[in-house]
Amino acid sequence: MSERVRTAIRVEGIVQGVGFRPFVYALASRLGLGGLVGNDADGVFAEVEGPPAAVKEFLAALTAEAPPLARIDRVTTAAMTPDGGESFVIAASVPGGQRRALVSADSATCADCLAELADPADRRSGYPFINCTNCGPRFTIVRDVPYDRPFTTMAGFAMCEPCAAEYHDPADRRFHAQPTCCPACGPRLALTGHDGQELPGDPLAGAAALLRQGKVLAVKGLGGYHLAVDAASQDAAAALRARKHREDKPFAVMAADLAAARQLCEVHEAAAGLLTSQRRPVVLLPRRSGAPVADAVAPGNRQLGVMLPYTPLHHLLLAAVARPIVLTSGNVSDEPIAYRDEDALARLADIADAFLTHDRPIHIRTDDSVVREFRGREMLLRRSRGYVPEPVRVRPAFPRPVLACGAELKNTFCLAKDDHAVVSHHIGDLENAETLASFTEGIEHFRRLFGIEPEVVAYDLHPDYLSTKYALELAGVDLTGVQHHHAHIAACLADNGEDGPVIGVAFDGTGYGTDGTLWGGEFLLAGLAGFERAGHLVPVPMPGGAAAIRQPWRMAAAYLAAAFPGGQPDGLAVARRNERHWPAVLSLASAGVSAPLSSSAGRLFDAAAALLGVRDAINYEGQAAIELEQLAAPAQTGGYRARIDPRDPFLARGSDLIAAAAGDLAAGVPPPVIAARFHHGVAALIEDGCLLLADRHGLGTVALSGGVFQNLLLLTEVTARLEARGFRVLVHSRVPCNDGGISLGQAVVAAARDRSA
Ligand code: ZN
Ligand code: ZN
Ligand code: FE
């Protein structure tokens, strides 16, 4: 008998629920190898036996030909004694043990399933829950690991005979596809009125007809309920806004396919790749003039958030409606998106005219992800459905398991162990009991799912954040507070696989400083373990505290007072519009009474926006700055100049930009030109600050983070200026620059401190 070897193999990474075992089975069969393959809590284990050359070929093909949704992090092998077995079998799953196997993210319907969906002869023709090992729901239906049907929300659906045959056939595309089902055995679609009573007729045709009549439809999706209307109907979109109490914040639109998306927006190659990826995020795109989209969908915005269908139900619905639809989160105002059927019915009954729903439970609320393309690279703005829970690989490894609790707005948390940082789905603003429950339950769920028992817990320094309070109540762990802007810069470093030191420019709305004041226009000298505040915007009073965030005109008053200490110029429109409260607000600012000082860059943008008449009060976070960016004349170059007081830390005079803008306004310069000059002025201020610090400290790399860098005009200009000066510039890609990225930053800071302790 010729020589035989037997090798034990362990594969780690995203290898469960992605067709890995049938792939291994097929590969071993092709090469005539004996052995076995199975799932356990660590991933996939296998043993292969046969001639050495064939085993070697098997190992090469294992990574080279892995299934599309798999992500292999590590393959380890060990020699065994051959037992002469020639057959290859799939072993039963091994439950329990230490849990490190990675659950994959939800994935858009694959081409094979779409072909079956459209094939009248297929037994799943037109079935809205078709899926296979290469696509379908994952994270949103998983209750526990290992990833097997009894641990998913499909547990209640017993497979019919044909489905069971496919499920058990290693040669079938649905081999061990946990959510596999068909019209005979799987979930069922229903159309109900807003009272929950089922409506007669075909649910899909009925739903499409309602949309075409301009009605508001609630649609149960992968991670929660959406609200849908005809995107071209001004009346329907306006009614949805009124009922949702969402005045201005843009709605996302779903288009049937790439061609339909191209009628709405300019879709270049990189953006097309994002739109059609299996992750199917909402992609922010430049809107085409004359696009068939009602004004109420994204009022006053040159951009539109567009996504393509990602479930079979979406594909069927879009085909039936035959036009783009608004698809926005199913909630009222700022509440979390509804995902449980009874709760959705209760909360959305006053908004939706009807519900297109089904009986497959959603285990965890997961919002749509939002991305844009920046310099050919994906840039996440909200990382959630389709991305989570795929871990961010981090090197060096975490010495001990870490829980990072994140910030307050756009909260995410992060559980990290070894070289994996699992950043949670978008939890939302931790301002109400329901979101807080999502946060605490989410942490428990992730701990179980990934078998991570945190020994180190990182939190924001802001004593009033609910995430901070949660951390401080935990017992038996080492607690470590991380300054907000340090966390932003650390997140940017981790995002780029770097560890500094860098010049960190953290521009955002607000964050608690180490001196107890509110920071937000920060230049840091930062590594992972620590930082030094090397410069910042001159702090300006926020008259009325939180009221100044909701009413940008108050920031205009405070900044004008700083810009013109001898008295403001006459005839300012912003003062006239707010004349009743203007003097009182000015005196709050000058007396420093209920007017906390803040170096926030977000408040500087607010002041400019109000000065230019863009907006005196906002309806959602960041609105004034977003609209100021929209106002700016894109072709305009040249800008204002802010002086820098070169003490240490240096002080950058944001009020110089407001003084220049007020001067131009008085001289009759058009507001779009002023808005552009202001943006260029902020960019020049960042350039000057970085040059000063490079000169002082000899650093050549700049990391940009904080929510202000969601402003594409500013980001583009700052990056170009810094690169022209020879700096290497790090920007975000895999996690958001806004507070959604804070938890990752906190986690890597905690780990760096742990290593140096
Ligand atoms: Zn499929
Ligand atoms: Zn079936
Ligand atoms: Fe922030």
Side-chain angles (χ1 to χ4, degrees), residues 44-328:
V44 164
F45 61 90
E47 294 176 14
V48 290
E49 177 171 339
V55 170
K56 195 174 165 205
E57 194 179 339
F58 175 90
L59 288 171
L62 189 66
T63 44
E65 296 171 21
L69 296 185
R71 201 189 83 185
I72 297 176
D73 287 344
R74 184 162 36 206
V75 178
T76 47
T77 59
M80 299 176 73
T81 309
D83 67 7
E86 307 232 321
S87 66
F88 196 90
V89 295
I90 295 190
S93 289
V94 184
Q98 214 197 7
R99 292 167 184 184
R100 295 198 302 131
L102 302 176
V103 175
S104 60
D106 301 280
S107 184
T109 313
C110 73
D112 289 340
C113 284
L114 284 179
E116 291 170 351
L117 188 68
D119 176 3
D122 194 276
R123 68 190 187 90
R124 293 187 181 86
S125 178
Y127 182 55
F129 306 97
I130 188 170
N131 67 80
C132 72
T133 32
N134 299 323
C135 74
R138 296 289 187 278
F139 173 65
T140 52
I141 61 165
V142 170
R143 291 189 166 126
D144 209 341
V145 283
Y147 176 67
D148 266 336
R149 192 167 177 115
F151 298 114
T152 71
T153 64
M154 284 298 290
F157 298 93
M159 274 183 277
C160 68
E161 248 176 63
C163 283
E166 292 167 342
Y167 182 89
H168 289 111
D169 175 6
D172 195 276
R173 199 172 92 246
R174 295 195 168 81
F175 177 73
H176 282 233
Q178 305 309 339
T180 203
C181 58
C182 76
C185 66
R188 206 185 127 258
L189 196 62
L191 181 67
T192 74
H194 65 103
D195 54 359
Q197 291 298 314
E198 201 160 333
L199 300 172
D202 175 50
L204 206 63
L210 289 171
L211 285 172
R212 295 180 69 98
Q213 289 160 25
K215 302 288 195 220
V216 176
L217 183 71
V219 183
K220 187 175 179 181
L222 270 185
Y225 277 77
H226 282 114
L227 290 161
V229 292
D230 176 355
S233 166
Q234 175 68 12
D235 288 349
L240 178 56
R241 283 207 179 278
R243 295 185 204 172
K244 240 174 95 75
H245 303 293
R246 176 151 153 165
E247 288 88 352
D248 302 303
K249 198 172 178 180
F251 290 145
V253 171
M254 181 173 273
D257 51 29
L258 201 51
R262 289 200 153 112
Q263 304 203 320
L264 305 176
C265 294
E266 312 281 346
V267 184
H268 298 297
E269 203 180 330
L274 297 176
L275 274 175
T276 55
S277 88
Q278 74 214 23
R279 303 174 184 280
R280 293 291 156 104
V282 174
V283 185
L284 299 186
L285 294 164
R287 184 175 178 161
R288 257 182 207 287
S289 61
V293 171
D295 284 343
V297 172
N301 209 307
R302 282 200 293 261
Q303 300 217 314
L304 198 61
V306 180
M307 62 183 148
L308 299 185
Y310 53 86
T311 69
L313 177 56
H314 292 150
H315 282 283
L316 295 167
L317 183 62
L318 268 286
V321 183
R323 59 180 73 168
I325 58 172
V326 162
L327 211 55
T328 187

Side-chain angles (χ1 to χ4, degrees), residues 569-573 576:
D570 294 332
L572 287 165
R576 228 181 311 119

